[in-house]
Amino acid sequence: KKTKSITIRSIPMRTIIPEIEDIVNFFSSETIESIARETGFVQRKSKLGGTEFLGMMTQGLYFRPDASLDQLVSMGKDINESLEISPEGLHQRISSSGVEFLKKMLSVALELSVSRLIDESVPEILRQFHKVHLLDSTQTSLPEELREIWIGSGGCASESAMKFHLMLDYKNGKYEDISITDGISPDQNYIDEAIKRLNSGELLIDDLGYFKQEAVMDIDQKGAYFLCRFNHRNDLYTEKDSNLVKFDLMNELMQAQKGGICDFDVWFSKHGRKLKIRLVCKVAPEEVARNRRKNAMKIAKKKGRKPTKKHLFFLGWDLYITNIDRSMLEAKSVDLVHKVRWYIELVFKSWKSYHGLEQVRGKRKERIECFIYGRLIMMVIMAFLSGSVRYYLWSTKRREASFLKVVRHFQVKAHKFLCLMLDPVALARFLLDEFLEACRLCKMDIRKRLSTAQKLRDTQITCGSTTLA
């Protein structure tokens, strides 16, 4: 439920920057306390309300990722001067009902940007897709006492770990889903859930760990598109006399012109299902190939064996599969579009470097979960806000925003945000001022080497591309 439009200097906030009004309404005490009662976090008149608890778990941990309970209680006092609660009292309130409350607030946060317009800074080559979904995962180590709940890989790593699957829409910066599993859960287990979110005309770019032949067939059946790396160990087929026969990829690449790009028509075939796809192969830079082979030799030596000649050969190539038609995406642009995945790597870097994903304190399940969900809420809000900065900076200055600079800018100001949480007008004025400051200070540095977004923006959509098989 949204409150009425906030007005500053006689101008409705929504006519200036709609995202600011949305964020102020998200932190509205009326909305928060309603959800706190709904989830059982607040059952009667309490010293600690949902507003103060949410502030501590979000802006408080954003400002001080390593904050102790004593420091969080102090921050709660900054939100509400009349708050009287001890660190022990906060410890008791960090409970299963607190986890459910923050989970619900996370779902509300994920709905913030449902109706956002397409960012005009998005390169034209990506505008032909209704959405461009990026999918990847990252994980954080947890105290070993939690290994029975969140299993880690062990060995040199922790016995307990938590994995986060993130699906976001690159075109508007919106986080669409954040799913938590234990550290050893295979990425392939999540891909079916991700496919449920796909619609016709949308593109999914994911990591090799999510690849399943059945999954790409399901994506194509929905009228959606996929683009991902390909593992040469998977079987491919080619059509010969109306039949499918094994495709000898290594032989085809050995005959290809060195330095060229190969674009093959090939088939997947599994469990009676067939799908015709494109296999785009590009020779990797010599230094990249050399480093890959060096690492492969090291890994093989540790395991007491030697890598095969076939494996070493394919380390010299970048292999991609897609069902995007050549009229929409030329072979020479495939690897460039795939590099859009760098954005999700920046997101994960911000999670760990600025949001303190690797600084979760405590050994109690409920405390870990509250601290994690509080951080996730802030990650969603910052993605939402930084997307707005990107849009307005491009539309007014034709400059790109630095995502990490924006995240850092608002982290420095998080304590002031806390102090204004109970005053919507003052909070909106503060956010507007800091939004404009972020647009001034958080531009991407001008450099000679073009960014991926700049290269994509310079790429023209042309039809026709030579088919090699």
Side-chain angles (χ1 to χ4, degrees):
K1 180 180 178 181
K2 290 195 172 184
T3 58
K4 63 181 181 180
S5 183
I6 300 167
T7 302
I8 296 179
R9 301 168 188 163
S10 302
I11 304 175
M13 177 60 66
R14 184 153 287 280
T15 65
I16 305 174
I17 302 160
E19 291 80 3
I20 290 179
E21 182 188 2
D22 291 333
I23 291 172
V24 172
N25 287 332
F26 174 81
F27 283 100
S28 162
S29 293
E30 180 183 354
T31 302
I32 294 171
E33 297 304 329
S34 174
I35 294 175
R37 288 189 294 273
E38 176 189 326
T39 56
F41 179 72
V42 173
Q43 298 180 351
R44 56 185 181 275
K45 190 172 181 180
S46 172
K47 292 180 180 179
L48 179 66
T51 303
E52 294 88 356
F53 187 69
L54 179 66
M56 293 177 194
M57 296 296 113
T58 56
Q59 295 290 347
L61 290 174
Y62 187 33
F63 180 64
R64 287 292 302 271
D66 61 345
S68 64
L69 292 182
D70 304 68
Q71 291 168 326
L72 288 173
V73 167
S74 177
M75 293 178 192
K77 194 83 172 178
D78 291 330
I79 300 171
N80 182 357
E81 292 182 359
S82 64
L83 177 65
E84 295 292 341
I85 189 170
S86 64
E88 294 75 19
L90 177 58
H91 174 79
Q92 293 177 4
R93 298 303 303 279
I94 298 177
S95 59
S96 57
S97 61
V99 174
E100 291 306 311
F101 165 60
L102 293 175
K103 276 186 180 180
K104 179 64 176 179
M105 292 304 301
L106 175 60
S107 67
V108 174
L110 286 168
E111 295 172 1
L112 276 177
S113 52
V114 169
S115 60
R116 285 195 54 181
L117 298 176
I118 292 176
D119 187 342
E120 66 176 65
S121 72
V122 172
E124 182 183 357
I125 195 171
L126 299 181
R127 294 185 197 176
Q128 55 191 327
F129 306 105
H130 299 159
K131 289 184 178 181
V132 178
H133 305 273
L134 305 183
L135 175 62
D136 207 345
S137 66
T138 189
Q139 58 180 290
T140 185
S141 298
L142 298 175
E144 292 189 1
E145 290 83 349
L146 299 170
R147 59 183 176 273
E148 293 185 4
I149 304 171
W150 293 295
I151 308 170
S153 57
C156 297
S158 174
E159 294 286 343
S160 178
M162 185 181 284
K163 180 181 285 189
F164 304 87
H165 298 275
L166 172 63
M167 186 171 181
L168 62 84
D169 180 10
Y170 176 77
K171 293 179 74 171
N172 63 17
K174 173 195 170 187
Y175 288 8
E176 299 171 295
D177 185 47
I178 300 175
S179 180
I180 300 176
T181 64
D182 60 43
I184 63 170
S185 177
D187 289 347
Q188 285 186 344
N189 290 355
Y190 179 77
I191 187 63
D192 294 330
E193 184 63 33
I195 292 173
K196 293 177 184 178
R197 298 178 177 274
L198 287 177
N199 294 305
S200 178
E202 300 176 355
L203 169 64
L204 175 65
I205 302 176
D206 58 7
D207 190 48
L208 186 59
Y210 291 95
F211 173 77
K212 286 196 306 185
Q213 287 195 27
E214 300 92 332
V216 297
M217 291 177 180
D218 292 340
I219 293 172
D220 186 80
Q221 190 172 351
K222 295 187 76 169
Y225 302 98
F226 60 84
L227 172 59
C228 62
R229 286 190 177 274
F230 177 68
N231 188 329
H232 67 86
R233 294 183 179 90
N234 288 283
D235 289 334
L236 293 172
Y237 300 86
T238 187
E239 198 169 31
K240 186 176 182 180
D241 299 328
S242 300
N243 295 314
L244 294 184
V245 296
K246 278 283 186 70
F247 180 71
D248 190 344
L249 177 58
M250 184 173 179
N251 182 57
E252 292 290 343
L253 293 181
M254 290 179 71
Q255 296 180 31
Q257 182 179 357
K258 187 176 181 180
I261 299 176
C262 304
D263 189 354
F264 300 102
D265 280 335
V266 292
W267 291 79
F268 279 143
S269 179
K270 194 164 188 178
H271 302 315
R273 300 176 68 187
K274 296 189 299 183
L275 176 65
K276 187 177 181 179
I277 62 170
R278 292 171 63 193
L279 172 66
V280 178
C281 311
K282 181 181 178 182
V283 175
E286 287 187 16
E287 184 178 354
V288 172
R290 185 166 55 250
N291 289 335
R292 288 176 181 173
R293 288 167 180 148
K294 184 178 179 181
N295 290 334
M297 296 291 285
K298 283 183 179 179
I299 294 172
K301 186 176 181 180
K302 285 183 179 180
K303 296 181 178 180
R305 62 190 186 212
K306 292 183 179 181
T308 64
K309 291 183 178 180
K310 182 177 181 180
H311 180 60
L312 293 175
F313 171 81
F314 279 113
L315 291 176
W317 289 83
D318 291 324
L319 311 177
Y320 304 94
I321 55 170
T322 185
N323 62 339
I324 305 173
D325 191 84
R326 292 181 178 87
S327 63
M328 300 172 66
L329 182 64
E330 288 186 299
K332 65 180 182 181
S333 300
V334 166
D335 68 321
L336 186 57
V337 171
H338 187 267
K339 286 178 181 176
V340 167
R341 282 192 64 254
W342 66 265
Y343 181 77
I344 207 167
E345 298 297 336
L346 283 182
V347 168
F348 288 152
K349 182 177 180 180
S350 79
W351 286 18
K352 295 181 177 181
S353 299
Y354 301 134
H355 289 284
L357 190 62
E358 295 185 328
Q359 294 176 278
V360 181
R361 301 183 60 161
K363 297 180 180 180
R364 191 163 57 96
K365 175 180 180 291
E366 291 80 10
R367 179 167 174 173
I368 294 290
E369 289 185 333
C370 281
F371 281 21
I372 288 291
Y373 281 111
R375 283 170 163 85
L376 293 178
I377 291 169
M378 274 310 304
M379 295 168 190
V380 172
I381 289 173
M382 282 312 306
F384 180 58
L385 190 55
S386 62
S388 180
V389 171
R390 182 180 75 172
Y391 174 83
Y392 286 100
L393 191 55
W394 179 260
S395 61
T396 58
K397 303 292 184 182
R398 280 300 186 265
R399 288 288 299 276
E400 292 184 55
S402 167
F403 173 71
L404 293 180
K405 285 184 180 180
V406 174
V407 171
R408 181 61 174 160
H409 176 86
F410 283 96
Q411 183 183 35
V412 173
K413 305 292 183 177
H415 185 260
K416 188 171 182 180
F417 187 109
L418 275 175
C419 298
L420 298 175
M421 272 187 64
L422 297 183
D423 187 341
V425 174
L427 180 59
R429 184 182 295 114
F430 159 75
L431 283 174
L432 176 59
D433 291 341
E434 293 308 323
F435 179 92
L436 297 175
E437 275 294 280
C439 289
R440 184 176 72 87
L441 298 173
C442 301
K443 303 182 187 74
M444 189 174 287
D445 296 334
I446 297 176
R447 55 187 181 181
K448 292 182 179 179
R449 183 171 61 86
L450 296 179
S451 67
T452 298
Q454 289 170 328
K455 291 177 182 177
L456 283 170
R457 198 169 290 120
D458 292 339
T459 302
Q460 301 298 318
I461 302 175
T462 56
C463 297
S465 165
T466 303
T467 304
L468 299 182

